[in-house]
Amino acid sequence: MESVCSSGGGSSDSALDFAFAFNDVNFSDRILRIEMLPDSPGSKPDPDVSLSGWARNRKRRRNEHLNTANDVTMQREEQILNCNMPDMEDGYGNQEEEIVATIEETPAVLEIATNEVDDEVTRPNETSSSMDCSPVQVKTIHISSPILAAKSPFFYKLFSNGMNESDQRLVTIQIHATEEAALMDLLNFMYSNSLPRTTPSDLLDVLMAADKFEVASCMRYCSRLLRNLPMTCESALLYLDLPSTISMGDTVQPLTDAAKKFLATRFKDISKFQEEVLNLPLAGITAVLSSDNLQVASEDAVYDFVLKWARMHYSKLEERREILSTHLVRFIRFPCMSCRKLKKVLGCNDFDPEIASKVVLDALFFKAEAPYRQRSLVAEEANTSSRRFVERAYKYRPVKVVEFESPRLQCIVYLDLTQGECAQLFPAGRVYSQAFHLGGQGFFLSAHCNMDQQSSFHCFGLFLGMQEKGSVAFAVDYEFASRAKPSEEFVSKYKGNYTFTGGKAVGYRNLFSVPWSAFMDDDSPYFINGILHLRAELTIKQ
């Protein structure tokens, strides 16, 4: 029988089907007694099988475990005393829920529901002190210890713990009543490598049980089935909200990766889905911010958006600083931010001052590096989770700026465009640079694919514009240049002067005096290692 688990990296025996032996006395050497602690009123699973119902029940159970853990322990101790039960060994705990497992000869718990078992299993005295302790529902089934031990380190340890009791036939584990169905499905899977129920909520319940009892093959199976189901925002957020011991495991990592990719793709354009993204929980916002393909105006906009989200979800300054420092700061690519915005980071009260100073200094040092060193730093992070030096799909392309205050107000601006970015401009596209400032006024560069007015063919144009701010006029001398082969030095392409007013732009429609096809040709002298290097020099005339 072909097994999903075997293709997912399971053990060689994962393809064997022992369904015929499940709960069969003829193929079993042990009896598993499942003690089911009663759940609090209202904690029963919702009758529907929707993910929202599963999430509500999960949160309710999580809160109950946190609030009643001590009470449950005390009740068990009281039962042991009043009912004269044997001591229980501590089992293998996991995140919020405790597993209690024992191996004993004779049960001493009031059994509410059982399967038929061997004569060796002694039923409890039904007239015992049941009035003094709450009855614990019990289910007993026949099991094969080799099969369970082969699939689960938990059961392997339980059956081979080196104690005399490990040779006894009766094995007891303890769960909550709401976990019964998931545990039975899990045990069935350990025999048959399949699950009888495959709704999303059932798969998630079994996934939780498989994690608790360390059945990696079942975790892979559930993860694969969930990945093959249609993804929604609700399900993606639910997968990312799984306990860290599950979500960080290798067996479930493909599922959480798929959930992150879905959210990053769904909300690629933050400005288009601003309200929805602002309402995402922490796991959702980090998935969106981790994407290289995030379509935003600039990294400055990402920074502003993160602050807005943090202030919306964490009204207390201490909590906001904590969440920014420990979770969100690594998703802001400070080296791609403008220097003007970096100055604001230093004065932002939402960030811890030490962290703010560190990220700004790191960003400025990166900006000061030579281009080859910057490329080297980006390459060093290629195989890591850190993406702080990688530029996203910004609507406004980052620029490098060198400013001079004397003898004249002057700046030199460098804009790099990839050959792919230029190709996307055809036939009538344009791309804008981030704003840069000179003399207190904002300017920008824009690259165009447009028609040459004289020859009527497409060509590459470059323009310089001034942001609209009041009615101030600036007289500017400017020069456009580009690196070109074979020297790979900057070669001046166009000089001019213009008196700017707000919202005006000036430039050259055919910067290289060639048709678009010649500009984009593989032998084009203007692309060096796939990069078009442009330079604009601006000087304000006194």
Side-chain angles (χ1 to χ4, degrees):
M1 184 188 76
E2 184 179 357
S3 170
V4 173
C5 296
S6 60
S7 64
S11 59
S12 59
D13 67 336
S14 62
L16 301 178
D17 186 355
F18 297 108
F20 64 89
F22 182 62
N23 199 18
D24 191 318
V25 64
N26 297 315
F27 298 98
S28 304
D29 64 333
R30 307 277 181 128
I31 296 171
L32 179 65
R33 185 179 67 187
I34 306 168
E35 295 183 359
M36 290 168 280
L37 295 178
D39 292 276
S40 302
S43 64
K44 296 296 182 182
D46 293 319
D48 61 72
V49 292
S50 67
L51 285 177
S52 59
W54 189 95
R56 289 194 299 271
N57 184 53
R58 171 65 187 162
K59 290 180 179 179
R60 187 163 53 232
R61 282 172 47 193
R62 179 182 298 175
N63 293 333
E64 287 171 2
H65 295 329
L66 293 175
N67 295 332
T68 65
N70 293 333
D71 295 338
V72 171
T73 303
M74 292 175 65
Q75 290 171 5
R76 285 298 298 157
E77 290 175 354
E78 184 179 357
Q79 286 181 6
I80 293 171
L81 292 174
N82 294 341
C83 297
N84 199 25
M85 294 175 62
D87 292 338
M88 304 287 284
E89 290 180 304
D90 288 336
Y92 300 91
N94 199 337
Q95 62 267 5
E96 304 144 1
E97 304 169 11
E98 181 183 7
I99 304 172
V100 180
T102 61
I103 305 176
E104 54 189 80
E105 291 184 348
T106 306
V109 179
L110 181 60
E111 298 190 10
I112 303 301
T114 64
N115 295 335
E116 294 184 1
V117 296
D118 289 359
D119 294 337
E120 296 180 34
V121 180
T122 304
R123 293 187 179 278
N125 182 359
E126 296 187 6
T127 61
S128 65
S129 55
S130 60
M131 298 296 293
D132 298 329
C133 59
S134 299
V136 177
Q137 187 176 358
V138 173
K139 173 175 285 191
T140 54
I141 62 173
H142 296 280
I143 59 171
S144 169
S145 60
I147 292 178
L148 268 60
K151 292 291 185 72
S152 163
F154 171 85
F155 284 106
Y156 177 82
K157 296 170 188 175
L158 184 62
F159 297 140
S160 59
N161 60 8
M163 301 176 64
N164 293 332
E165 291 88 341
S166 64
D167 295 328
Q168 303 301 330
R169 298 198 65 229
L170 189 62
V171 182
T172 301
I173 62 174
Q174 193 176 85
I175 62 173
H176 285 267
T178 50
E179 299 173 298
E180 177 189 358
L183 176 60
M184 296 305 297
D185 285 352
L186 175 64
L187 293 172
N188 190 298
F189 175 88
M190 296 170 76
Y191 279 80
S192 65
N193 297 299
S194 63
L195 292 172
R197 300 174 301 162
T198 56
T199 65
S201 56
D202 289 330
L203 289 173
L204 284 168
D205 280 335
V206 176
L207 179 63
M208 302 287 285
D211 176 66
K212 176 184 288 188
F213 292 99
E214 305 176 55
V215 187
S217 58
C218 188
M219 294 180 70
R220 279 192 293 271
Y221 184 92
C222 293
S223 174
R224 180 171 177 176
L225 290 184
L226 288 169
R227 290 201 316 274
N228 290 336
L229 294 174
M231 190 82 72
T232 65
C233 291
E234 180 187 47
S235 62
L237 292 172
L238 197 55
Y239 302 152
L240 294 179
D241 193 41
L242 290 171
S244 59
T245 55
I246 299 179
S247 61
M248 297 303 291
D250 293 339
T251 55
V252 186
Q253 193 67 48
L255 177 62
T256 55
D257 288 345
K260 292 177 182 178
K261 183 177 180 180
F262 173 84
L263 291 174
T265 303
R266 173 73 174 81
F267 300 115
K268 181 168 61 174
D269 190 342
I270 284 185
S271 61
K272 185 178 179 181
F273 301 99
Q274 184 168 156
E275 290 302 318
E276 291 180 66
V277 180
L278 281 174
N279 287 309
L280 288 176
L282 179 61
I285 194 70
T286 54
V288 173
L289 294 176
S290 63
S291 173
D292 291 346
N293 297 318
L294 197 62
Q295 293 180 353
V296 288
S298 65
E299 197 66 27
D300 292 2
V302 174
Y303 168 81
D304 290 335
F305 191 88
V306 169
L307 278 186
K308 187 175 182 179
W309 182 92
R311 289 167 180 169
M312 176 177 169
H313 289 263
Y314 299 89
S315 57
K316 294 182 179 180
L317 178 60
E318 296 78 8
E319 295 179 353
R320 189 160 62 249
R321 279 190 173 185
E322 176 68 18
I323 209 70
L324 285 169
S325 301
T326 58
H327 290 85
L328 296 178
V329 70
R330 66 178 181 271
F331 294 105
I332 303 175
R333 304 180 183 185
F334 292 94
C336 299
M337 289 171 57
S338 67
C339 291
R340 290 172 67 88
K341 185 64 75 171
L342 289 174
K343 292 178 183 178
K344 293 185 178 181
V345 175
L346 291 175
C348 181
N349 194 41
D350 297 85
F351 284 91
D352 180 271
E354 291 186 7
I355 293 178
S357 297
K358 182 181 184 305
V359 296
V360 170
L361 284 175
D362 288 346
L364 293 176
F365 279 127
F366 177 80
K367 290 178 178 291
E369 294 282 6
Y372 79 91
R373 178 56 183 160
Q374 291 178 344
R375 290 192 293 271
S376 176
L377 290 172
V378 172
E380 289 175 6
E381 288 193 342
N383 297 322
T384 68
S385 59
S386 176
R387 309 289 290 170
R388 55 181 175 162
F389 299 136
V390 178
E391 296 179 359
R392 307 181 199 262
Y394 300 121
K395 295 178 182 177
Y396 302 131
R397 301 297 300 143
V399 292
K400 302 176 180 66
V401 183
V402 180
E403 298 183 39
F404 301 92
E405 292 185 357
S406 63
R408 304 175 70 180
L409 287 176
Q410 185 181 44
C411 70
I412 302 175
V413 183
Y414 298 90
L415 172 65
D416 294 344
L417 299 175
T418 67
Q419 196 160 3
E421 289 171 332
C422 291
Q424 292 177 2
L425 298 179
F426 186 86
R430 62 184 64 187
V431 61
Y432 295 94
S433 77
Q434 292 181 4
F436 53 91
H437 292 77
L438 180 63
Q441 182 61 48
F443 293 87
F444 63 90
L445 295 174
S446 61
H448 297 225
C449 176
N450 42 222
M451 297 293 292
D452 182 273
Q453 290 180 326
Q454 295 181 348
S455 304
S456 297
F457 54 71
H458 289 91
C459 53
F460 180 88
L462 184 63
F463 295 82
L464 170 66
M466 188 176 85
Q467 291 181 314
E468 189 169 1
K469 181 183 285 187
S471 58
V472 179
F474 279 82
V476 177
D477 290 332
Y478 62 93
E479 178 182 4
F480 294 154
S482 173
R483 291 188 187 274
K485 301 174 184 176
S487 67
E488 298 186 351
E489 297 293 334
F490 278 104
V491 177
S492 178
K493 291 297 179 181
Y494 187 76
K495 291 183 179 181
N497 58 78
Y498 188 74
T499 300
F500 284 93
T501 56
K504 299 296 183 179
V506 65
Y508 199 58
R509 295 181 64 86
N510 189 355
L511 186 67
F512 301 109
S513 302
V514 296
W516 183 265
S517 57
F519 164 67
M520 292 296 300
D521 191 84
D522 291 339
D523 295 329
S524 172
Y526 304 110
F527 289 99
I528 301 173
N529 297 322
I531 304 293
L532 174 66
H533 301 271
L534 300 172
R535 184 185 72 187
E537 183 175 328
L538 285 69
T539 304
I540 292 182
K541 301 172 66 175
Q542 299 297 326

